[in-house]
Amino acid sequence: MISTVLTWAVQRRLASIEHIRQHPHEAQAQVFQSLVHTARNTAWGRQYGYADAPSAREFAQRVPISSYEQLYPQIERVLRGETDVLWPGRVEWFAKSSGTTNARSKYIPVTRESLHDCHYRAGRDTTALATLYYPEIDVLGGKTLSLGGTHGPNPFRPDEATSRVGDVSAVIMQNLPAWAEYVRTPPLELALLDEWEEKIERIARHVLEADVRVLAGVPTWMIVLLRRVLELAGTTSILDVWPQLGLFLHGAVAFGPYRELFRQLIPGPQMHYLEVYNASEGYIALQDEPDSKDLLLLLNHGIYYEFLPADQWDAAEPRAIPLEQVELGRTYALIISTNAGLWRYAIGDTVRFTSLAPYRIRVAGRTKHFLNAFGEEVVVENADAAIAAACRATNTTVRDYTAAPIYFASHDGASRGGHQWLIEFNQTTVDLPHFTEVLDQTLRQLNSDYDAKRHRDLALTPPVVTVAPAGTFEQWLARRGKLGGQHKVPRLSNSRELLDEILDQLNN
C-alpha cells in the first residue's frame, strides 16, 4: 500500500514538472490570477486595485518594483502581528536573511501557502526526480542528512511563542510534514542547535550509524560535517560510513569550486549531484536533468516572475518584462510576486536563460555583487567558473573566497586597476603563479569586457591572489554572528570594505 501511494505521488509530481515544461505561460497566468485574487482584500491589494482583476500589464503599471527597504514599512506591520497587510491572515514565521548586499538583517514573511505550495511542493519535485533518475539509491528507503540554521523569537513580538524568525532552512525543518521528518536526520533538537561548533560535533556523532542515502545543504558547511564524520570513523571515504549514499542536493553557492573536493571525500561512480535554487523568498528552480548545469524555473509554485534587464537596474522607474519576452544569454534581475505577500519584489539575484523551451536558467550572481570598478563587469558566474578552472589546473580545492578592486597609478601616470582575490585553499601548498594565470586567462575567455581591459595591461593588471589561512572566513562569519545555516561569504564587491575588514582581522 505504501509503495503504491509513493509511486502515485512521484508520478503526480513528474506530471506537474512536465506541465511546467510544456505549458509555461499557462502555468504563470494561473499563478498570477490566483495571487491577485487571494490578496484582493489585503491592505496592499486594496491600495493597488486587485479587486478589479488587473491584467499582467495593468499590474505592472500599477504596482511599483520594490526593494526590501522600500517594502519594509509593510513588512514591519506584518512582523508586529497586523493581519491582512500583504497577504490574508496573520503571519507567524519569518525567514531571517543577512541579505548579502548589506549587513542589515532582512525578515522575509513565510506564510502557510509559501511553505506548502512552494517550498514543500518543490521538495517533493526534487524527490520525484531523484527517484526517477536514481532508482538504485531508493532515496526514501534511508535517511536524508540535512543541515540548516536555527530560529528564535520574533524580536517584534518577543512575548509570543508562536511567532519565530530564523534561517529559511530552520523554518522549513520545524514545519516539515510527518513523512518528510521521518526520512530526515538528524532530529530537530540537533539540527536546530544555535551553537555551530557544538551542532557539527553532535550531528557527526549521531549520524555515524545512520543509513544516509542523501545529503542536502550548502556545500561549504556540508564539507565541515563530512570531515568530522571521517575523523570520528577513522577513514578517508564517506562511503565506508554510508555505503548506500548516492546523492547530494546542493544550493546557495555555486558548486563548481567544491566539486573536486566532494569527489575526494566521496569517491566512486555511485555519487550523483543535483542543484536546487531555494531562497528565503521561495523555491525558484531545480535541476531537472541529471547531466545538465541548468535549472528549470518552477512556474506553478506560487511565484509570478518578471525580469529586469541590466540597463534597468539603476533606473528611476525600472521596467521589467514578462517571461515570454526574455532572451537567451541576457542577464536579468529577478522580480517576484509570491504567495508570501512579496509584490514585484527585487530579490537581488540575477539569472541568465539557457533555454526558452522549456525555461531553464543559470544563476549569474547578485545585482550588487560584481566587479565593475573599471568597466570589466565580472559577475559571480564568471568568478566561480574561473576559480573552478584554476583548481582543476593546479589540482587544488578552494574552501572560500572573495574579491575586490585595487587601485594604483602606473609609472607613466595613467591610472590602472586590478583585482585582489583572497582565497582560502584546502591545501597547504599551492602553485600560486599557475593558479593565478589560469584564473586570469579563464576570466578573459569568459568575459569580453574583462579581456578588453586586460589587453596589454592597459586598464587592468593581472589579478593578485592572497592566500587566507585555514578558518579565515569561518572566523569572519562567526564574528558577525552568521556562522552556519545558509549564511555565505559575498564573492565579489565593488568596494574594498569587506576585503579590508577580513585582512584587518588577519593582522590583529
Side-chain angles (χ1 to χ4, degrees):
M1 177 64 179
I2 293 177
S3 61
T4 301
V5 172
L6 289 176
T7 299
W8 174 82
V10 167
Q11 291 175 344
R12 185 166 180 260
R13 295 320 310 157
L14 292 176
S16 176
I17 293 170
E18 188 60 27
H19 180 73
I20 294 172
R21 295 180 180 132
Q22 298 295 329
H23 306 284
H25 302 130
E26 175 186 325
Q28 274 288 271
Q30 290 174 347
V31 168
F32 170 75
Q33 292 164 7
S34 175
L35 291 175
V36 171
H37 178 77
T38 303
R40 67 193 184 282
N41 292 322
T42 62
W44 185 273
R46 291 193 300 271
Q47 180 178 354
Y48 292 105
Y50 285 11
D52 299 342
S55 66
R57 174 177 290 184
E58 291 169 333
F59 173 77
Q61 292 171 343
R62 294 181 187 183
V63 182
I65 291 174
S66 296
S67 65
Y68 179 81
E69 289 74 18
Q70 290 167 327
L71 198 60
Y72 180 74
Q74 284 72 36
I75 291 178
E76 183 175 334
R77 292 168 61 187
V78 180
L79 279 161
R80 294 188 182 280
E82 191 172 337
T83 62
D84 302 330
V85 179
L86 294 165
W87 192 253
R90 190 180 193 197
V91 181
E92 302 291 0
W93 284 90
F94 299 85
K96 183 179 180 182
S97 169
S98 60
T100 51
T101 56
N102 57 46
R104 180 181 179 180
S105 293
K106 297 180 179 180
Y107 298 94
I108 305 298
V110 181
T111 62
R112 186 182 185 281
E113 290 86 351
S114 64
L115 269 177
H116 289 271
D117 299 336
C118 185
H119 292 285
Y120 295 157
R121 176 180 291 181
R124 293 195 297 272
D125 290 343
T126 306
T127 301
L129 289 168
T131 301
L132 172 68
Y133 292 131
Y134 314 118
E136 70 280 5
I137 299 174
D138 187 14
V139 296
L140 296 176
K143 295 291 186 179
T144 293
L145 195 168
S146 53
L147 281 180
T150 187
H151 61 74
N154 178 349
F156 295 85
R157 288 182 263 162
D159 297 329
E160 295 185 21
T162 57
S163 186
R164 310 285 287 178
V165 304
D167 189 276
V168 67
S169 59
V171 176
I172 290 171
M173 283 185 194
Q174 185 66 68
N175 294 279
L176 277 175
W179 72 267
E181 183 60 27
Y182 177 76
V183 299
R184 197 193 60 76
T185 192
L188 284 179
E189 61 265 25
L190 297 184
L192 300 181
L193 285 172
D194 59 1
E195 206 288 310
W196 190 247
E197 287 83 357
E198 178 189 0
K199 174 187 288 192
I200 288 292
E201 182 65 23
R202 292 182 62 180
I203 289 177
R205 293 183 181 278
H206 179 85
V207 299
L208 274 175
E209 304 301 325
D211 178 15
V212 175
R213 307 285 180 92
V214 180
L215 304 175
V218 179
T220 316
W221 304 116
M222 189 61 71
I223 286 172
V224 175
L225 176 64
L226 295 182
R227 283 176 166 164
R228 184 54 184 149
V229 170
L230 289 174
E231 290 173 357
L232 292 171
T235 184
T236 58
S237 170
I238 283 293
L239 295 179
D240 292 337
V241 184
W242 304 316
Q244 303 286 2
L245 178 64
L247 179 64
F248 180 29
L249 302 173
H250 59 88
V253 297
F255 191 58
Y258 300 97
R259 186 175 296 276
E260 183 56 36
L261 183 56
F262 272 87
R263 285 175 178 162
Q264 294 172 13
L265 296 173
I266 316 172
Q270 75 180 68
M271 193 64 189
H272 305 284
Y273 301 88
L274 288 177
E275 183 176 358
V276 300
Y277 179 8
N278 188 12
S280 297
E281 294 83 357
Y283 210 128
I284 292 170
L286 52 75
Q287 183 182 337
D288 68 318
E289 293 187 335
D291 299 321
S292 174
K293 294 181 180 180
D294 306 327
L295 306 180
L296 180 72
L297 197 61
L298 297 176
L299 301 173
N300 61 358
H301 289 59
I303 301 177
Y304 174 68
Y305 294 96
E306 297 172 86
F307 303 89
L308 199 64
D311 61 3
Q312 293 292 307
W313 292 355
D314 296 321
E317 296 182 2
R319 291 175 295 178
I321 61 175
L323 181 65
E324 56 265 28
Q325 294 182 17
V326 299
E327 301 175 15
L328 287 175
R330 295 191 65 183
T331 300
Y332 299 96
L334 272 180
I335 307 298
I336 60 174
S337 298
T338 79
N339 54 7
L342 301 175
W343 298 105
R344 304 200 79 209
Y345 177 77
I347 189 174
D349 289 349
T350 63
V351 300
R352 178 170 54 84
F353 281 88
T354 57
S355 168
L356 302 183
Y359 286 102
R360 293 195 178 98
I361 61 171
R362 293 188 187 180
V363 180
R366 301 279 294 176
T367 52
K368 295 185 180 179
H369 278 196
F370 53 88
L371 278 169
N372 195 32
F374 313 101
E376 64 274 37
E377 297 188 5
V378 175
V379 297
V380 174
E381 185 183 26
N382 301 152
D384 283 334
I387 288 284
C391 284
R392 288 193 299 270
T394 57
N395 195 29
T396 55
T397 55
V398 165
R399 175 72 174 85
D400 242 324
Y401 76 89
T402 192
I406 50 179
Y407 303 89
F408 50 86
S410 66
H411 66 279
D412 58 5
S415 177
R416 293 192 178 103
H419 297 160
Q420 182 177 9
W421 297 71
L422 182 64
I423 302 177
E424 183 179 333
F425 293 92
N426 287 296
Q427 291 77 16
T428 55
T429 302
V430 179
D431 185 348
L432 207 56
H434 188 34
F435 184 96
T436 305
E437 179 185 9
V438 175
L439 176 72
D440 183 41
Q441 290 302 317
T442 305
L443 285 172
R444 296 189 69 166
Q445 293 168 11
L446 293 172
N447 187 311
S448 59
D449 292 311
Y450 178 85
D451 183 53
K453 302 300 183 295
R454 283 284 295 112
H455 180 65
R456 296 185 178 179
D457 298 349
L458 291 177
L460 277 180
T461 59
V464 175
V465 175
T466 302
V467 177
T472 293
F473 290 100
E474 284 187 25
Q475 292 171 19
W476 179 78
L477 286 167
R479 289 175 62 180
R480 294 167 64 92
K482 301 186 183 301
L483 193 61
Q486 289 194 305
H487 298 299
K488 47 194 178 290
V489 176
R491 295 307 194 197
L492 307 177
S493 176
N494 268 330
S495 80
R496 289 191 58 86
E497 181 179 354
L498 183 150
L499 183 60
D500 286 340
E501 180 181 329
I502 300 176
L503 292 174
D504 288 343
Q505 168 188 300
L506 294 175
N507 294 328
N508 295 326

